[in-house]
Amino acid sequence: MNQHHVSKAQESAASFPVEKIRAMFPAIRQAGDFIFMDNAAGAQIPQSVLDAVTSHLVRHNVQRGGRYGRSVAVDQSVAEARESVALLINAYSPSEICFGMNATSFIRLVSLGIGQMLSQRDEIVVTDMDHDANIATWLALEQAGARFKWWRMREDGNLHVDDLKPLMSDRTRLVACTVTAHSIGSIVDVASVAKIAHAAGAEAFLDCVHYGPHGLIDVQAWDCDYLVCSGYKNFSPHMGFLWGRFETLKRLPTFREDFIPDEPPYKVEAGTFIYENVSGMDAAVRYLESVGRNFLAENNRSRRENIVAGMSAIRDYELMLAREMMKVLKDCGATIYGVADEARIHERVPTFCFNIGTLSPQRIVEEMAAMQIGIRDGHMYAPRLMKRLNLSMDSGAIRASLVHYNTVEEVHRFGEALRAIIAMLS
Ligand SMILES: Cc1ncc(COP(=O)(O)O)c(C=O)c1O
C-alpha cells in the first residue's frame, strides 16, 4: 500500500458509521455491557436478516415445487438468494451457488466426488494453517488412493506461494487452502494459488469461511475452482454454501436420487435445506449492500458495486481495529501467533490468537467472561497448527476475533480487562 492508499483507507475508517451499524443488530442493542469478540465462531445478525427469516416462516413455510402461491414464493425466494450470493462472490451464474448445512459437509461432498476421479492425478496439497475441516476431509481420501503434499506456514505466520510451487507436479489434482486463517487471521494470496494450481493442470479449492465477513470475495478475479462459506459467520443464520464453476460441478460425481437433474445446483443439494436461513443469507447480502450505499455518492449503483464499496469500507475499518488490537496486545506482553508486525497489517484480519506467558488461556478467558467479554480459548479446530506453534491441544491459545460492528472503545476495554487479569493471575 502506498501513502495515498493508506491515508484514503484511514479516512474511510474514520467515516465508518459504526454506531448506525450497531443499532441495526438487535443482539448488540440488547447486550448491555457484553462485548462480542468471538465472531470467528459465529457473528450476530441484523434486524433485516431476522425479519427475512420470520417472514419466510410466517408467509410461506411450505415445501417448494408446488403449484400454489406459497410454494411458488419459496421457489422465488431461493432463486433470489442464489442471485444475491452470486453477486456477493462474483460468481459467473447463480446456478453455481449450492445451498446446504455448513462448510464442512460441502468440503466432504466435493472431496468424495474428487476421490472418485483421481486416476493418474492422485496428489492433493493441504496446508498446516487451515481449519481441520479443510484438511482431515481431504486426508480421508487416502483410502481412495490419494497422496498428500503439505504446504507449510512459514515462521512469519503466513503461507507463501513460493513454497507451493515446488509441491506441484503432473500428479497434482487439487490445492485445498484457506483464504484466511480462522485461528490467526493471516490472509493468503489465493489468486496466485489458483494460477499455480492451473499451471500444473490442478484445481484450487478455497475455504472462504473465515475471510467471508472481512473482505471482498471475487471468484472470477481469484480464478479459483471451488469455494465454500458458512452463512453464520456472514451475519446470517446457520447455513452454508458452495460455489463451483458450472462445468466443474457438472463433472463432479455426487449422490442424488435418479429423479434429480444431474446439473448444478440440484445435483449438489441432496434433500431439503433450510429455506428460512437461505432467505436470511439473502438478506445478509442486502445488508452488506446497504453498508456500501453509505460510501457511494450515487444511488443508482449496481448491487455488486454496493457490495464492493461495503466490503472495502469494512476492510478499511477493520484494519484500523486490527492496528489498535495489535498495540493493546503488545502493551500487555502477549505472544501473538501469526502476523505481529504492524508493517504487515494488511496481511491480516482482526482475528488475534495469543498467549500471555505461561498463564492458563482457560483462566484468562473465564475471567474475561466474568467481565462481560466473550472470547475463546482452546485448539481452534486446528490441531496441525497447534503442533506447529508448540501449543498443546488441551490448553491451546486465546482467540479474540473482531468484525465491523466492534469498536475501538471495545478494544480498549478488552485491553484494560486483560491488564487487570494479568495482574490478578501473575
Ligand atoms: C476456516 C473455517 N473453515 C471451516 C469451518 C467449518 O465451518 P462449518 O461450521 O460451516 O462446517 C470453520 C468453522 O469455524 C472455519 O472457521
Side-chain angles (χ1 to χ4, degrees):
M1 265 199 178
N2 64 31
Q3 203 45 47
H4 172 70
H5 281 121
V6 170
S7 58
K8 269 204 86 172
Q10 282 168 349
E11 236 172 72
S12 148
S15 64
F16 194 73
V18 67
E19 287 309 325
K20 184 172 153 194
I21 280 169
R22 288 170 71 80
M24 293 165 88
F25 286 75
I28 296 177
R29 286 206 307 269
Q30 290 172 22
D33 270 356
F34 183 78
I35 299 179
F36 291 95
M37 278 199 191
D38 188 24
N39 298 292
Q44 300 309 302
I45 58 182
Q47 182 68 51
S48 56
V49 171
L50 272 175
D51 291 345
V53 175
T54 307
S55 163
H56 178 100
L57 291 171
V58 173
R59 294 174 53 218
H60 43 249
N61 187 27
V62 296
Q63 184 56 283
R64 64 182 163 150
R67 297 190 196 283
Y68 53 100
R70 284 179 171 75
S71 182
V72 172
V74 180
D75 278 318
Q76 254 165 14
S77 75
V78 170
E80 281 164 21
R82 277 196 223 286
E83 217 166 280
S84 290
V85 172
L87 287 169
L88 177 71
I89 68 171
N90 203 23
Y92 300 96
S93 139
S95 55
E96 298 172 331
I97 307 296
C98 313
F99 292 125
M101 278 304 286
N102 54 39
T104 309
S105 54
F106 276 131
I107 304 173
R108 175 78 173 150
L109 181 145
V110 173
S111 71
L112 287 175
I114 286 180
Q116 292 176 49
M117 302 193 287
L118 285 175
S119 68
Q120 292 303 310
R121 284 192 176 267
D122 56 357
E123 288 182 3
I124 294 175
V125 178
V126 287
T127 89
D128 61 358
M129 200 177 80
D130 270 74
H131 190 289
D132 223 42
N134 198 31
I135 304 175
T137 354
W138 300 107
L139 297 184
L141 291 188
E142 192 172 8
Q143 286 175 338
R147 297 178 316 156
F148 304 95
K149 292 267 171 81
W150 285 89
W151 182 16
R152 299 197 189 276
M153 184 186 84
R154 282 201 195 165
E155 289 302 311
D156 69 1
N158 211 345
L159 293 166
H160 287 243
V161 289
D162 285 344
D163 302 335
L164 174 62
K165 287 178 197 154
L167 304 179
M168 308 300 293
S169 75
D170 56 6
R171 298 198 73 103
T172 315
R173 176 67 181 80
L174 181 111
V175 178
C177 83
T178 191
V179 182
T180 295
H182 69 292
S183 46
I184 56 176
S186 310
I187 301 175
V188 180
D189 175 7
V190 288
S192 297
V193 171
K195 204 179 272 175
I196 293 167
H198 292 165
E203 291 180 320
F205 183 102
L206 301 183
D207 177 344
C208 199
V209 173
H210 190 64
Y211 179 78
H214 299 293
L216 183 68
I217 305 173
D218 191 335
V219 294
Q220 294 193 38
W222 295 348
D223 197 26
C224 50
D225 302 284
Y226 298 96
L227 175 138
V228 279
C229 272
S230 310
Y232 70 98
K233 320 268 184 175
N234 276 282
F235 319 109
S236 139
H238 285 89
M239 56 82 73
F241 62 86
L242 167 74
W243 167 86
R245 290 168 192 269
F246 189 83
E247 289 305 322
T248 307
L249 290 178
K250 209 169 150 113
R251 278 194 303 273
L252 186 77
T254 60
F255 164 76
R256 66 183 172 87
E257 298 97 326
D258 289 341
F259 52 81
I260 302 288
D262 193 12
E263 289 248 321
Y266 315 106
K267 64 177 286 186
V268 178
E269 295 172 341
T272 303
F273 51 81
I274 307 175
Y275 303 139
E276 59 271 31
N277 290 0
V278 165
S279 286
M281 185 65 223
D282 184 357
V285 175
R286 292 170 197 276
Y287 159 75
L288 294 170
E289 287 169 47
S290 78
V291 174
R293 280 196 291 275
N294 284 295
F295 294 89
L296 289 176
E298 290 160 42
N299 270 336
N300 56 353
R301 300 278 182 172
S302 73
R303 294 186 63 192
R304 176 67 185 173
E305 281 170 318
N306 285 324
I307 292 168
V308 171
M311 295 318 295
S312 128
I314 284 174
R315 176 79 183 126
D316 289 341
Y317 177 73
E318 287 191 9
L319 275 172
M320 188 269 292
L321 289 180
R323 241 181 234 111
E324 215 52 41
M325 192 70 176
M326 199 184 262
K327 253 187 242 152
V328 161
L329 286 171
K330 284 186 175 174
D331 282 354
C332 290
T335 304
I336 300 173
Y337 304 107
V339 175
D341 174 3
E342 201 186 323
R344 289 173 59 217
I345 198 98
H346 58 278
E347 272 185 60
R348 64 149 48 254
V349 298
T351 298
F352 285 88
C353 188
F354 63 96
N355 267 317
I356 304 286
T358 55
L359 295 183
S360 151
Q362 180 188 333
R363 286 286 293 123
I364 292 177
V365 169
E366 280 167 359
E367 292 300 333
M368 281 281 185
M371 295 163 126
Q372 295 299 306
I373 299 175
I375 56 174
R376 180 171 294 267
D377 64 289
H379 53 63
M380 316 299 156
Y381 304 87
R384 340 259 160 185
L385 186 71
M386 291 295 118
K387 200 165 165 203
R388 266 302 299 280
L389 299 172
N390 284 324
L391 296 170
S392 89
M393 281 293 281
D394 289 340
S395 58
I398 303 167
R399 183 182 67 189
S401 51
L402 286 67
V403 290
H404 69 277
Y405 50 62
N406 289 117
T407 64
V408 174
E409 291 72 34
E410 287 181 331
V411 172
H412 291 163
R413 218 184 99 201
F414 164 88
E416 280 158 30
L418 188 56
R419 256 175 240 116
I421 294 167
I422 293 170
M424 183 173 72
L425 298 180
S426 298

